Structures are given as structure tokens and as C-alpha cells.
Amino acid sequence: MAISYYKKAEMNASTGYDQTQEIVSRMLAELEVEGEAKAKEYCRTLDGWEGDVVVSREQIEAAKAKVPEQLKQDIHFAYERVSRFAAAQRDSIQGFETELSPGLFAGQKLIPMETAGCYVPGGRYAHIASAIMSVATAKVAGVKHVVACSVPRDEQGIHPAILYAMDLAGADTILQMGGVQGIASMAFGLFTGKPADILVGPGNRFVAEAKRQLFGRCGIDMFAGPTEIGIIADHGADPDIVAADLVGQAEHGPDSPAWLFTTSRELADAVTERMPGLIAALPETQRKAADAAWRDYGEIILCDTREEVVEVSDRYASEHLEVQAEDLGWWMEHLGSYGSLFVGEEATVAFGDKCSGTNHILPTKGAARYTGGLCAQKFLKIVTYQRQSREATRSVAAAAARLSRCEGMEGHARTGDVRLAKYYPDEAFDLVIAEEV
């Protein structure tokens, strides 16, 4: 086996984590105690915003008027595809009832959550698509009240196109607030009186850490830190496309990992040669982010075989994983850990990020080893119930009583005893384990 680093990252997902954890913990404690007043203070000091926190219908309508018609059509294009895919996800799981033994019925119900908090990044970039990915999916799932929040960009507030997308997707309340204070406001029910049952959406390391610390008090979609891309490419891949896709994700932020897994040193050489020029051609903000991301977090890993590529890729568990290699069916069958898979040269992360239909809120930092991305089911509580006839109680109560006594739980056992005594007063049941275990 030969797996080697052609380019090794100098930093990893844990770099700077301790400081982030401390800052977020302090902010959450202050926000919980001081409530809306503290949230507004953070809006002033961190977001530079002193206007209304809750967006009015008049403000939404004013924002709509600023959105060009073509952009509105593109937002509708994305909304329709994301909603259709979310509806298909929702319908792929059903409630049911089954008879486990004569007279014993067990079932499953799907109950939408009451309130969802959807965070939409809006600082460095206007993440229009994130509004659709989170809000539309929640509404398709049947969530009754969706609170969306995004950072105000200037004196006008939230970017008009983000507001338009939030409203189109069905947001019931929109907060002009970013960062930890936005997450906390949704979790604690500030400005709405409706604490979120679940918090979803991507964000920077402070947003991700706030969600992590609040998990348990409410649900979260996943740990959604800085975006990642992994590309599997062989000798036949086009280095121009591979390099362009790596840069396209690296521009998200200076801590966004970009990884290439390949069996071809020639491809690695060609991609490496193209990266500096592609990064240099970006506008200043994107250029600085991509340059730092590729320098500090970018990696190229060489493998001898495609089986080794699968091993490495599954270990990294990339948020986004592209496959530009021969025998695409083989890769689909053997790859097991990724947030979302983009199969073939034609399918790229950029399309999925914006409008092709699958959700772009995906697990990072290796979380794809145990969870998938945001989907309609994340907003549904899959609960169970059971009911049974008196005849079914004959066998169930007796077995439950014996198991309970074996466990030392006499109270549990007696709940079975009293039912049997009531329902079958003339019958004798052996309710004790004969031999001590």
C-alpha cells in the first residue's frame, strides 16, 4: 500500500478552537441572562446595526423591489428544485402500524417540529441559496413556525436578495442579526417568544460552536463548520476543471479545506501548477480567502490504487465529494463517507451549492462518517406508539414481568402482575424466573 502526501496542510479543523469555545461560551451565558437587550448590544458592536431586529412586511416588500427580475427567476429556479427534492425526501419515509403478534400493534408517526431556527450567512458573501436550503426544507417538512436570521450588511439591513429568498421559502419571522447573538436569539426565543426546537444552517466557527454548545437544549442539524471539498480524480480528469473546483470552494474562507485524492502524479503536478493563477485572478476578498485556504488547509494525496483512494476519502469524510474518474458506478458503490456526492465531471459542487436540488447544508470536520446533510427528516420527530388487546396482554405481561424481575425492577414487574390478575383472575401465571441468572 502506498498513500503519500504530495501537499500536506499546515493547519486542521481544530486550529484556534479553544479560543472560539471560550468566546462563544461567554456570549451565550450573557445572552441567556440579559436577553434581548444584550442581543441588541451585540448587534450594535459586532454587526454595526441599530435598526429594527424583526423585519417588517414593509421592509420585505421594499427589498423585493430592489431585486432584479432575472435574479428573482434564478431564486425561483433554485427554490423549486430544492423544494421538490425535500418533498421527495419527506415522502420517502412514512408512518405505519404493524401487528407484531396477535393483538399487539406497534406504529410509527412523523410529527413536524413546532419551531425551527434557520441561520443564513450574509457577511463576506450573500448566501442566497442558504436561505432556500434551510427555510424551504423546514416548511416542506411541515414546521409550523420558521425563524430565519442573517447579518445586516449595511444601513439597509439584510441583503435584499436574501430577504426575498427567505420570504419566498416561507420564513414566518426574520431577524436582522448575525453570529452568536443570532443563534442565541433563535434558541432562547428572543424577539419571537418561540424558542427553536432545532437550529440549522451553515456559518463561521463562532456560529458552528454556538450551535454545538446549545445542542441538547435544542436540536441541531449537524456540526457545520468551514466548507470542505474533496475531489477524487484519475489520469483522465481535466486539471483545469479540478483546479477550478478546488478554488471555487477555497474562496469561501481562509479556513476552508480543499483536498485532492488522486492516483496520478501527472494530474497532481498539473493541478498544482494551475492553482496560483486561478487564485490570483479572483477579486481581492475571494483571492485572500482562497490563497490562505489553499496554503494552510489544502492537500493533495497520492495513492497507488482506487481502493486506497476510497480508504483515504472515507477517512476524510468530505463535506462535498466530487468524482472525476473512470468507472463512476464503481465509485458510487464503494465510497461510504461524504456529505454529498457529485458524480462525473458535469456534476460540480457549485451547482449543488446554488440550485440543482440537493441540500448544501452538509456535515464537516469528519461528521459525514455518522450523519448526512440537512433534509426534510431532520425537521420531523419519528415517534412510536403501541396498543394491544387484552388477549395480547396474556403473553406480553408475563414475559415483561419475568424480564423485569430478572433485572431487579419489581415495580415494573407488578404492573404486569396487576393486569394479568384483573384480566385473567381465574388463571395462574408463572411470573418468576425459575433459576437465578
Side-chain angles (χ1 to χ4, degrees):
M1 177 177 290
I3 300 173
S4 61
Y5 285 94
Y6 180 100
K7 179 186 185 303
K8 183 76 169 67
E10 297 180 4
M11 299 184 183
N12 58 49
S14 298
T15 302
Y17 176 70
D18 290 343
Q19 182 183 21
T20 301
Q21 189 177 32
E22 180 181 345
I23 292 170
V24 171
S25 179
R26 173 179 53 80
M27 290 180 68
L28 288 176
E30 292 174 349
L31 285 158
E32 182 167 16
V33 172
E34 301 180 48
E36 293 180 5
K38 192 65 178 182
K40 288 180 178 179
E41 179 185 325
Y42 275 129
C43 277
R44 290 192 297 272
T45 58
L46 300 180
D47 298 336
W49 177 250
E50 299 188 18
D52 295 334
V53 171
V54 179
V55 180
S56 67
R57 172 48 55 183
E58 291 74 21
Q59 290 172 309
I60 293 173
E61 295 302 323
K64 285 182 178 180
K66 298 176 183 178
V67 181
E69 188 59 35
Q70 181 61 62
L71 181 53
K72 288 180 179 177
Q73 292 177 20
D74 291 337
I75 292 172
H76 277 265
F77 181 95
Y79 169 71
E80 290 169 1
R81 280 147 188 79
V82 171
S83 296
R84 285 176 58 189
F85 189 77
Q89 289 180 320
R90 177 200 62 204
D91 295 342
S92 71
I93 184 168
Q94 301 288 335
F96 65 86
E97 182 175 274
T98 184
E99 189 172 16
L100 300 176
S101 59
L104 173 59
F105 298 87
Q108 171 176 290
K109 290 184 65 177
L110 310 180
I111 302 177
M113 295 179 189
E114 186 76 21
T115 303
C118 298
Y119 188 86
V120 180
R124 182 183 290 112
Y125 305 116
H127 287 270
I128 300 165
S130 287
I132 299 169
M133 301 288 174
S134 58
V135 177
T137 305
K139 296 305 287 187
V140 166
V143 175
K144 293 180 180 178
H145 194 95
V146 173
V147 182
C149 80
S150 188
V151 62
R153 289 169 64 91
D154 53 32
E155 67 278 0
Q156 301 301 315
I158 295 174
H159 192 286
I162 291 180
L163 265 183
Y164 181 82
M166 286 174 166
D167 186 60
L168 173 67
D172 297 287
T173 305
I174 299 173
L175 305 180
Q176 300 189 105
M177 186 178 294
V180 176
Q181 62 272 25
I183 291 292
S185 292
M186 294 190 293
F188 302 153
L190 305 182
F191 307 102
T192 64
K194 295 180 179 293
D197 300 312
I198 187 170
L199 297 168
V200 305
N204 62 21
R205 58 193 175 103
F206 297 101
V207 169
E209 176 60 17
K211 288 166 61 182
R212 189 194 69 81
Q213 291 191 23
L214 288 165
F215 177 60
R217 180 169 186 152
C218 59
I220 63 172
D221 47 4
M222 69 210 68
F223 195 93
T227 190
E228 306 164 351
I229 184 173
I231 299 181
I232 293 172
D234 62 12
H235 63 281
D238 185 332
D240 290 320
I241 289 179
V242 172
D245 288 2
L246 290 170
V247 172
Q249 288 305 110
E251 76 170 354
H252 281 70
D255 52 357
S256 294
W259 305 311
L260 171 61
F261 314 120
T262 183
T263 52
S264 171
R265 177 172 288 275
E266 291 73 19
L267 179 72
D269 291 339
V271 170
T272 300
E273 180 182 342
R274 286 160 172 76
M275 291 296 288
L278 289 172
I279 293 172
L282 294 172
E284 182 180 5
T285 298
Q286 295 89 331
R287 181 175 69 250
K288 288 182 177 179
D291 184 59
W294 181 242
R295 180 190 66 234
D296 297 334
Y297 292 87
E299 292 188 338
I300 299 177
I301 299 178
L302 290 173
C303 302
D304 281 348
T305 69
R306 61 184 184 178
E307 288 79 11
E308 290 171 357
V309 172
V310 168
E311 177 188 340
V312 173
S313 177
D314 280 355
R315 187 166 71 238
Y316 275 66
S318 308
E319 178 192 18
H320 309 91
L321 182 61
E322 295 185 0
V323 179
Q324 299 181 31
E326 295 176 344
D327 197 1
L328 296 174
W330 185 91
W331 294 100
M332 289 188 68
E333 181 181 349
H334 287 83
L335 289 165
S337 294
Y338 50 81
S340 191
L341 186 64
F342 301 82
V343 184
E345 180 181 286
E346 298 81 5
T348 175
V349 172
F351 298 165
D353 265 0
K354 306 307 175 193
C355 62
S356 62
T358 56
N359 206 294
H360 79 193
I361 299 171
L362 301 166
T364 64
K365 300 178 73 171
R369 291 179 293 106
Y370 57 82
T371 187
L374 185 64
C375 61
Q377 286 93 326
K378 293 277 187 178
F379 298 100
L380 296 171
K381 295 176 289 185
I382 302 175
V383 299
T384 60
Y385 68 87
Q386 63 178 259
R387 60 185 182 84
Q388 62 190 57
S389 66
R390 289 197 171 185
E391 183 59 32
T393 302
R394 182 194 299 270
S395 58
V396 174
R402 289 189 291 269
L403 287 168
S404 297
R405 287 196 168 90
C406 186
E407 292 176 353
M409 301 184 74
E410 184 63 27
H412 256 169
R414 285 180 178 172
T415 64
D417 296 352
V418 297
R419 283 170 172 78
L420 290 173
K422 177 180 179 179
Y423 301 158
Y424 305 99
D426 298 326
E427 295 187 39
F429 294 89
D430 183 2
L431 302 177
V432 180
I433 299 295
E435 297 181 6
E436 188 173 319
V437 178

